Amino acid sequence: MEASHFLIIYILVTHTLTSGMWWAAGSWMGLSRRASKHWMLSSACFGIGLLLTVLYADSVDTVQWMMAGLLVVVGAVSLRRGMQTFLKLPETACEHALVTLVGVGFALIVALPMGWRGGGMAACTAATAWVLARLALECFRPLRAEFGPETAATHATLMGLVVLTFMTTALALTLPQTPSPWQQLPRDMVYQWLVMGSLTLSILSSFVLGYVVVMRLVRRLEHLSHHDGLTGLLNRRAIEAMLDREVQRLQRFGQPFSLLLIDIDHFKRINDRLGHAAGDAVLAAVAGALKEEAREVDRVARFGGEEFCVVLPHTSEEGALHAAERLRAAVAALDVRWGDEGVSVTISIGLACAEHPTETLSQLLRRADEALYQAKAAGRNRVVLSMLPAAA
Ligand SMILES: Nc1nc2c(ncn2[C@@H]2O[C@H](COP(=O)(O)OP(=O)(O)OP(=O)(O)O)[C@@H](O)[C@H]2O)c(=O)[nH]1
């Protein structure tokens, strides 16, 4: 098989795959449709542009070459616009219009009528290099903040190599008489390696983009599996895992901790009188107040329904009572607005301190639950401390 045939198949396969990958990411993987459309367009433009240069490598017709140059510029702009959408960066529409106008305008208005293929291609590759260099620079910080320094450095290095390839090509096209090391090699070979290099870099860049898209999805799923959708607090599974660790710390290092089980008083009445949406608003407001009042090291979770749980690490009876009273008062001071009406809300709290290494987690939870029941029975809007049974 001839090298050019191999290149054509390689370009067709890789760019069809990457375009398909962006379509799938936009349809099923939670990538914004706008970003996925930009990246699909970018992949298609780069692919067709490269195909044209391979198909018309020996042609003297300038039109196909100008078309290829134009497609590569549009591909670079789409790649950058997709990244700006993905990372929520400001759009640079004016800059893109200007760069496209200068690069492509020169190629079409000056180079094409003069049949100056090298000059036209140089203008397009220089415009592409500019867009990609700006992309690499503006993405570095946001990529580092969200995905870590390695990902940001890999992306910047790849983009840097692509820019270098384009700039070298632009220079070689502008100054064809200047002797360069690669002029000792057969022209076809240099050309094929250049196309292969651009292709490989474009595929590697797609991999980096694919990686960041998947990483964002994984983190979102991880967050969903540990947090409650309505209040944003930790969910029951997450807080139970934390409680397990606190019990292990108590057993190994004798470090005490406290547990608050919290229940909204007469919550059913709010739901019945104002509706389920008002009930949800009250749940969110109570969650916000608990989170606000708890210390940084405390863990607040929605235990289920209208019940919450707060874990106070390294806290024994006196401190826990103080904290529980503060949380109760903060919720009682809330004035949740629902339409024109102000909804007042109170909570009852069952408090259990874990100080005895032989007590199991389920025993501790049962004690906190019994204390909560006593708080309800004693008239609600209060904190009841559970006493450790003498035998425990
Ligand atoms: N709006 C809303 N209501 C919920 C949610 N989860 C549970 N509930 C409601 O919470 C109410 C709990 O009512 P009860 O267990 O009878 O308790 P209560 O009315 O708060 O009474 P006491 O606990 O005895 O003070 C029920 O009406 C549930 O339908 C939720 O996510 N949103």
Side-chain angles (χ1 to χ4, degrees):
M1 191 194 290
E2 268 187 48
S4 62
H5 291 154
F6 172 73
L7 275 178
I8 290 169
I9 294 172
Y10 188 42
I11 294 168
L12 279 174
V13 170
T14 52
H15 285 75
T16 309
L17 279 178
T18 44
S19 299
M21 179 177 96
W22 294 130
W23 175 78
S27 307
W28 301 312
M29 286 168 60
L31 172 65
S32 94
R33 291 201 180 231
R34 215 159 149 242
S36 99
K37 273 183 198 155
H38 283 310
W39 285 341
M40 262 170 72
L41 178 67
S42 162
S43 179
C45 286
F46 279 135
I48 301 171
L50 275 169
L51 261 183
L52 283 177
T53 63
V54 175
L55 286 171
Y56 296 97
D58 298 321
S59 159
V60 284
D61 198 339
T62 313
V63 177
Q64 285 88 354
W65 283 84
M66 293 302 106
M67 276 300 292
L70 175 76
L71 283 167
V72 172
V73 176
V74 175
V77 168
S78 296
L79 181 67
R80 187 174 175 202
R81 291 188 67 190
M83 205 59 171
Q84 288 172 339
T85 309
F86 180 71
L87 294 173
K88 298 193 171 60
L89 299 173
E91 289 195 8
T92 46
C94 290
E95 184 190 326
H96 290 154
L98 194 71
V99 172
T100 314
L101 213 70
V102 172
V104 178
F106 177 82
L108 294 183
I109 298 166
V110 180
L112 185 61
M114 288 170 61
W116 187 23
R117 194 166 91 173
M121 286 302 283
C124 290
T125 40
T128 307
W130 170 268
V131 174
L132 295 180
R134 297 267 297 142
L135 164 71
L137 285 175
E138 75 189 351
C139 288
F140 187 77
R141 271 162 182 259
L143 280 176
R144 190 177 57 184
E146 187 173 346
F147 302 103
E150 293 85 4
T151 309
T154 310
H155 180 261
T157 310
L158 274 172
M159 281 297 134
L161 285 172
V162 177
V163 170
L164 209 68
T165 312
F166 275 106
M167 278 170 52
T168 317
T169 313
L171 268 180
L173 288 164
T174 325
L175 310 166
Q177 311 311 330
T178 314
S180 51
W182 56 80
Q183 278 175 354
Q184 317 304 320
L185 300 167
R187 187 185 152 279
D188 277 358
M189 193 178 154
V190 173
Y191 177 71
Q192 278 155 12
W193 276 107
L194 201 66
V195 175
M196 282 295 279
S198 315
L199 262 173
T200 311
L201 287 171
S202 136
I203 292 163
L204 287 176
S205 312
S206 296
F207 270 125
V208 175
L209 290 186
Y211 170 78
V212 293
V213 169
V214 171
M215 276 310 286
R216 187 180 273 180
L217 177 73
V218 167
R219 285 190 190 157
R220 198 181 294 167
L221 291 177
E222 238 170 33
H223 186 270
L224 283 176
S225 75
H226 291 135
H227 291 80
D228 168 54
L230 175 65
T231 59
L233 295 179
L234 292 169
N235 61 19
R236 186 173 188 137
R237 187 184 330 147
I239 201 74
E240 279 181 349
M242 283 173 189
L243 277 166
D244 264 333
R245 279 199 293 279
E246 287 301 328
V247 168
Q248 281 166 20
R249 273 200 200 103
L250 171 65
Q251 288 167 352
R252 189 165 280 267
F253 309 113
Q255 232 176 55
F257 69 95
S258 294
L259 168 69
L260 312 180
L261 276 190
I262 301 172
D263 191 280
I264 301 180
D265 298 327
H266 297 305
F267 186 63
K268 192 171 179 310
R269 286 187 201 164
I270 300 175
N271 263 343
D272 291 348
R273 194 164 62 84
L274 299 171
H276 209 76
D280 283 355
V282 169
L283 281 172
V286 170
L290 295 177
K291 190 98 183 97
E292 184 75 25
E293 279 305 313
R295 290 175 307 173
E296 194 84 345
V297 288
D298 299 338
R299 294 282 169 250
V300 185
R302 183 173 176 204
F303 220 47
E306 85 298 13
E307 203 169 302
F308 298 87
C309 167
V310 181
V311 179
L312 312 169
H314 234 301
T315 311
S316 48
E317 219 170 274
E318 196 187 343
L321 264 172
H322 192 73
E325 195 50 49
R326 207 178 59 235
L327 295 180
R328 188 203 60 73
V331 173
L334 278 177
D335 178 28
V336 186
R337 304 304 308 173
W338 187 252
D340 294 337
E341 208 171 323
V343 186
S344 56
V345 50
T346 59
I347 51 173
S348 299
I349 304 180
L351 160 57
C353 298
E355 290 175 324
H356 207 290
T358 56
E359 189 180 25
T360 63
L361 181 55
S362 52
Q363 285 168 333
L364 179 75
L365 280 167
R366 199 173 320 125
R367 277 204 299 124
D369 202 35
E370 281 163 9
L372 174 61
Y373 183 78
Q374 287 166 23
K376 291 275 181 188
R380 297 177 172 82
N381 190 20
R382 68 194 60 219
V383 180
V384 169
L385 169 68
S386 154
M387 291 301 176
L388 193 64

